[in-house]
Amino acid sequence: MTQGRTTAAGDGNEHRRRLLEGMGQAVAEKGYAEVTIADIVAAAGVSRRTFYEHFKTKAQCLIALYTAASSNALEVLRHTIDPGHDWETQVERAISAYFDCLAQNPVLLRTLFIEILGLGVEGLAARRQVNQKIADFMLQVINVPARARRHKPPLQPEIAMAVVGGINELILEAIERNRTDRLQELVSPSLQLLRAVT
């Protein structure tokens, strides 16, 4: 009996993963506005019923994809941290790795940074949660060694959020100019912004 429940839960996780991948694939092919639930389930290789077991709407599925992709990007940031280096080196490496991660799928990047804004309150709430996690990460990296940098004040939470917002705007501009293959060029201005507030 327990094994049956575990298998069902495992199937549920697998179906959800496939639906998110299906959403990503369908959006890459047609753009979010044109994507239907039929497109998502066809790309995922699951039934419409399975879709509704996980999501009520395609917007909810997009938010789940946004959250999952953002969590993946945040993990990339976390894995680049090496406390043996000064905070500026750590942040430079983390930002570079983050931009590399984002550049891997330009169509999905455009969807996640632009389409999420068109989903209203739900989309904005998801974006705010992701931005908060990135700001918290920044605070953790920069403020831990603040004791060793007594001549400089630690980064404040509001300023960390402002930096995240500024970096997001740089990314949006790159998307609008079809320069997602050149996101690494944003490392330097992102670091300049961070240095300016620390």
Side-chain angles (χ1 to χ4, degrees):
M1 191 76 158
T2 305
Q3 185 177 0
R5 281 200 201 110
T6 303
T7 303
D11 288 347
N13 290 337
E14 173 65 12
H15 288 154
R16 182 180 175 85
R17 182 190 64 75
R18 285 166 62 182
L19 283 165
L20 295 182
E21 288 179 358
M23 168 62 98
Q25 182 182 331
V27 164
E29 291 172 1
K30 300 178 75 171
Y32 176 75
E34 299 301 318
V35 166
T36 64
I37 290 171
D39 295 325
I40 299 167
V41 299
V46 300
S47 68
R48 185 179 286 264
R49 177 181 173 186
T50 298
F51 177 91
Y52 286 112
E53 286 173 358
H54 293 275
F55 306 107
K56 293 179 181 176
T57 63
K58 75 169 186 173
Q60 192 179 68
C61 186
L62 179 67
I63 289 171
L65 175 61
Y66 174 80
T67 302
S70 300
S71 294
N72 180 55
L74 191 56
E75 280 305 303
V76 167
L77 286 173
R78 288 192 176 113
H79 281 95
T80 59
I81 293 306
D82 180 357
H85 295 284
D86 61 78
W87 74 264
E88 289 190 29
T89 301
Q90 291 185 67
V91 169
E92 181 176 4
R93 288 180 179 175
I95 290 173
S96 180
Y98 178 67
F99 288 149
D100 273 344
C101 179
L102 295 180
Q104 288 177 13
N105 192 333
V107 176
L108 184 59
L109 174 66
R110 181 180 184 85
T111 298
L112 297 180
F113 269 79
I114 294 177
E115 300 288 359
I116 199 73
L117 300 176
L119 296 185
V121 175
E122 274 187 301
L124 290 172
R127 185 173 187 260
R128 175 76 58 207
Q129 287 175 356
V130 167
N131 287 350
Q132 187 63 61
K133 287 178 182 177
I134 295 172
D136 290 344
F137 168 81
M138 192 180 298
L139 288 164
Q140 178 186 2
V141 173
I142 294 172
N143 285 352
V144 166
R147 292 184 297 276
R149 300 182 299 109
R150 295 183 187 200
H151 59 287
K152 291 185 179 180
L155 186 64
Q156 298 300 313
E158 297 81 4
I159 302 302
M161 182 60 80
V163 170
V164 172
I167 292 172
N168 280 344
E169 284 302 313
L170 291 173
I171 294 168
L172 283 168
E173 184 178 35
I175 293 169
E176 289 168 0
R177 293 183 174 185
N178 293 316
R179 297 176 70 177
T180 54
D181 60 331
R182 298 168 68 180
L183 289 182
Q184 283 298 316
E185 293 176 6
L186 302 181
V187 173
S188 179
S190 297
L191 285 172
Q192 288 177 41
L193 174 59
L194 194 49
R195 287 188 192 108
V197 299
T198 54

